[in-house]
Each structure stands twice: as structure tokens, then as C-alpha cells.
Amino acid sequence: MRKINIILLLLAFSMLYDVETTSGQDSSNLSEYNLRARSVKVKRMSKNWSNRRLEVNGDTGLLSSGNFIGIHKEYIRLESSGRQIDIPIKNIQSIVLKRKPTDLILVGLISVGAGAFFAGLASLGFESEGAGLIGIAAAGSAIGFTLGWKSFYIDTLIPIQ
């Protein structure tokens, strides 16, 4: 039984070695391919980003932030403090889409809805009225606000690799 296990392990390692050596692309072709793939990925994703606030991160951290203008050749264009910034796509590791103010409206609607829901349940289930009902509605609104804030009013991290 031990001989069979050793033979299976050797066979598995030899198959891995074969796959690695026969992949056939040298590193310069591979890096060029990765750059083109990264560029295509960013171009496809960026169709819905016009005038959105972005943070662009590289290997060393934050490269720049600003409103997205578009993609020109191999660069991302941002508008920050009245000037245009071009960032090479090859230097980008991740992009953070900043939350929008309109998402805060959704948080408010969830808060009001949760408050009304809790108040409705309290009026049906308990014999509370007046101040007790307002307190339960306020607690429901606080819970709804917290859930909405954590669910909808967040930044979106997009890794580019």
C-alpha cells in the first residue's frame, strides 16, 4: 500500500512539472498579455463610471482620487481640483468607487420603513400607544438606519489583476 501511495505522489508531481514546463509562454509575452487583459478589464468596467468619484490605488498605496473622466489609450483620466490627471493602467492595483450621495436616500427610506414596520407590529402585538409607540418606532428607525448604512452606503473595492 505504501508503494502505491509513493507512486501516485510521484505521478502527480511529474504531471505538475509537465504542465509548468509545457505552458510555453515566456515571461515578457505573459506580462504583455496581462497588461492588455488589465486594460480591457478596466475599459469594460468603466462604462458606468462617468463622473463618479474614484480612488486609484497602486503598489505603494493611493495614486490619486477624483472624478472619472474616461479612458484614453492606456491611461485613466481623472479630474481633481480643476486639473486633469492621467494614470497609467499598468500601475493600478485596485480602484475604489466612492459611495454616492443618492445612496443616502435609500438609507433614509429603509430607516423610515423599518420604523413604520416596528410601530405597526407594536400596535398590533402590544397594548401600547402614544409615547411607547413612538419609542418603538424610533428604535426600529435606528435599526433600519444601521442596516441601510452598512448595506448600501459603502465604498466598492475593485481589484485589477
Side-chain angles (χ1 to χ4, degrees), residues 69 77-80 82-86:
I69 296 174
R77 284 194 171 160
L78 298 177
E79 187 270 322
S80 179
R83 62 186 179 96
Q84 182 174 317
I85 301 169
D86 288 341

Side-chain angles (χ1 to χ4, degrees), residues 117-129 133 136:
F117 179 73
F118 274 72
L121 284 179
S123 68
L124 291 175
F126 305 116
E127 293 184 19
S128 60
E129 51 186 62
L133 208 56
I136 292 173

Side-chain angles (χ1 to χ4, degrees), residues 17 25 35 63 81 155:
Y17 180 74
Q25 289 188 346
L35 285 175
L63 294 175
S81 302
D155 294 337

Side-chain angles (χ1 to χ4, degrees), residues 102-112 144-146 148-149 152-153:
T102 55
D103 293 340
L104 201 53
I105 294 171
L106 191 56
V107 172
L109 289 173
I110 290 172
S111 175
V112 169
F145 182 82
T146 304
W149 185 273
F152 297 108
Y153 199 64

